[in-house]
Amino acid sequence: MPALASHRKPRTRVRSTTPAVGLTTAALAGVTLLSTQSAMAAPASPKPSIEDVQKKVDDLYRQAGTATQQYNQAKEASAAQRGKVDALLDDVAKRADKLNDARRTLGNYAAAQYRTGSIAPSATFFLADDPQAYFDQNQLMARMAGRQQEAVTDFRTQQAAASKKRAEAAKSLETLTESQATLRTSKANIQKKLGEARTMLSKLTAEEKARLAALERKKEAEAKRKAEELARQQAAAKAEADRKAEEAAKQAGSGGDTGTGTGTGTGTGTGSDSSATTKADKVLAFARAQIGKPYVWGATGPSSYDCSGLTQAAWKAAGVDIPRTTWDQVEIGTRIATADLQPGDLVFFYDDISHVGIYKGDGMMIHAPKPGANVREESIYYMPIYGSVRPA
């Protein structure tokens, strides 16, 4: 008997959603965990302290000062190279004229030879009216050949000289292009550093700006205290030197047991010392007259200055030419210890020698400080001293 077909409805499998819910919950938990870990791994940067801001801004101004010296150096090199290129181009033009003259001379000889043609010497002898005429004509042709050879030699010489000068001019133009590129880079770097400093200062609150000003006053007071200490030391050293000189003069005047001698000499200081003092006076007189004028990077006066522009102009007023940049100025004259500084000496600052001022005495200097400030008097201890020189 055949099996009866089952009339029961097949069971439909119902898929459980529980695992999906579990996966979603796990994913959310994972995201939450990652978010928590990220927050723990990268906390918000704390706001810098006013001391940090002061240090950073000072460093940005120092970097801008370094870039300014690079700009000054590139500008000076560019100007010098431009003069050299112009001179070479003038020379190339003159040599081109000489070359053209030599070329025309050769052309004249070639045209003359083409018109007369080339005749064998034997034919010339037989065609001549008499033997003497032949010899005269032959001698004339020899002289013409000599001149033609001279013209060829002159042409080749002018051609070689012109080619050499053109190569020099091309190389100088390449150097000029490099100097101008350095100039643009230095200018952009200055603007970048100054922009960063201005941005940092603009974010300060009124209270923070007041605290920053208080820190500046504290820094200035400490620098002034050190300047006063140097002034006392220099005054004591001078007094001791004067005392010893006076004692030496007394001993020289009273020496000898024979009391009948009469001295007639009149002592005078050395001319070099007098000349140096006169120059220093002129340097300081010029520098004082610039107080209150603004600092502008790359400026050399008369309405504004950067630091090395002021020192260069001041010594020029005393009749002494010194280089443009701090890096070159520090290499001139005589090195001087800080304790031995005299008015007119140049004092350099920072390890990269990016700033300079004019010593005026008593631990103070006149300098063009930084963008946003004017030429002023300030303690030489306001910045870390690198060294000092006496230009003349």
Side-chain angles (χ1 to χ4, degrees):
M1 183 177 178
L4 295 175
S6 175
H7 294 285
R8 288 183 300 175
K9 189 176 182 179
R11 295 173 61 185
T12 303
R13 291 193 177 187
V14 179
R15 181 174 295 175
S16 172
T17 59
T18 303
V21 173
L23 287 173
T24 303
T25 304
L28 288 173
V31 170
T32 303
L33 179 60
L34 287 174
S35 299
T36 304
Q37 289 177 342
S38 298
M40 293 176 63
S45 300
K47 189 173 183 178
S49 66
I50 293 301
E51 289 78 8
D52 289 339
V53 171
Q54 182 190 41
K55 183 178 179 182
K56 180 63 176 177
V57 169
D58 286 347
D59 189 54
L60 285 169
Y61 278 131
R62 182 193 61 76
Q63 292 177 37
T66 302
T68 297
Q69 295 308 312
Q70 292 171 341
Y71 173 86
N72 294 338
Q73 189 178 57
K75 185 177 181 180
E76 193 172 51
S78 181
Q81 197 63 31
R82 168 55 67 187
K84 184 177 180 181
V85 167
D86 289 344
L88 282 170
L89 291 177
D90 288 343
D91 194 290
V92 167
K94 292 176 182 177
R95 291 184 182 277
D97 289 340
K98 291 181 179 179
L99 184 62
N100 290 333
D101 290 341
R103 186 180 284 110
R104 280 192 291 271
T105 301
L106 280 180
N108 292 336
Y109 278 119
Q113 188 174 11
Y114 177 79
R115 287 193 300 269
T116 58
S118 179
I119 302 177
S122 57
T124 304
F125 177 78
F126 289 112
L127 291 173
D129 295 335
D130 57 68
Q132 185 61 44
Y134 164 75
F135 288 115
D136 291 343
Q137 185 177 5
N138 193 45
Q139 187 176 9
L140 177 61
M141 293 300 294
R143 286 200 300 270
M144 290 182 64
R147 291 195 192 99
Q148 185 173 356
Q149 184 59 44
E150 289 176 3
V152 171
T153 302
D154 181 59
F155 174 78
R156 288 175 177 171
T157 301
Q158 296 299 335
Q159 190 178 40
S163 178
K164 181 180 178 181
K165 287 299 178 181
R166 278 196 298 270
E168 289 180 19
K171 187 175 181 180
S172 292
L173 279 170
E174 183 179 343
T175 303
L176 176 61
T177 301
E178 292 173 357
S179 296
Q180 290 173 335
T182 302
L183 194 64
R184 289 191 295 271
T185 301
S186 299
K187 183 176 180 178
N189 197 17
I190 294 168
Q191 293 170 334
K192 178 184 176 183
K193 298 301 180 184
L194 295 180
E196 290 177 13
R198 284 191 293 266
T199 299
M200 287 194 71
L201 293 173
S202 68
K203 293 180 179 179
L204 298 179
T205 64
E207 181 185 354
E208 289 171 334
K209 289 178 180 178
R211 289 169 56 196
L212 181 60
L215 286 176
E216 285 293 325
R217 288 193 296 271
K218 182 179 178 181
K219 181 179 178 181
E220 290 170 3
E222 177 61 17
K224 186 176 180 181
R225 184 192 65 77
K226 290 182 178 180
E228 290 170 350
E229 178 61 27
L230 176 61
R232 284 192 293 271
Q233 293 174 0
Q234 289 181 329
K238 185 177 184 304
E240 179 65 15
D242 291 344
R243 185 187 64 78
K244 288 182 178 180
E246 187 177 353
E247 286 183 359
K250 286 180 179 179
Q251 290 177 0
S254 63
D257 293 334
T258 58
T260 57
T262 59
T264 60
T266 58
T268 59
T270 63
S272 60
D273 290 343
S274 177
S275 174
T277 301
T278 301
K279 288 177 181 177
D281 290 342
K282 290 180 179 179
V283 169
L284 285 176
F286 180 90
R288 288 192 184 99
Q290 312 315 309
I291 290 177
K293 294 182 179 181
Y295 175 104
V296 174
W297 57 268
T300 56
S303 58
S304 59
Y305 298 88
D306 64 18
C307 65
S308 55
L310 176 63
T311 53
Q312 184 187 47
W315 271 97
K316 186 175 182 64
V320 179
D321 289 326
I322 65 174
R324 175 66 179 94
T325 70
T326 54
W327 302 323
D328 292 327
Q329 290 180 7
V330 76
E331 298 295 333
I332 64 171
T334 307
R335 286 295 182 98
I336 302 295
T338 301
D340 299 327
L341 283 169
Q342 293 180 8
D345 292 345
L346 301 183
V347 187
F348 298 87
F349 301 90
Y350 301 112
D351 290 340
D352 59 0
I353 322 174
S354 56
H355 192 72
V356 63
I358 302 168
Y359 190 68
K360 69 173 286 290
D362 297 330
M364 303 292 286
M365 66 176 170
I366 299 173
H367 71 141
K370 60 185 178 181
N374 297 331
V375 176
R376 66 192 182 200
E377 292 186 11
E378 198 155 46
S379 167
I380 62 172
Y381 293 103
Y382 187 77
M383 294 167 282
I385 297 174
Y386 173 84
S388 306
V389 300
R390 186 166 298 149

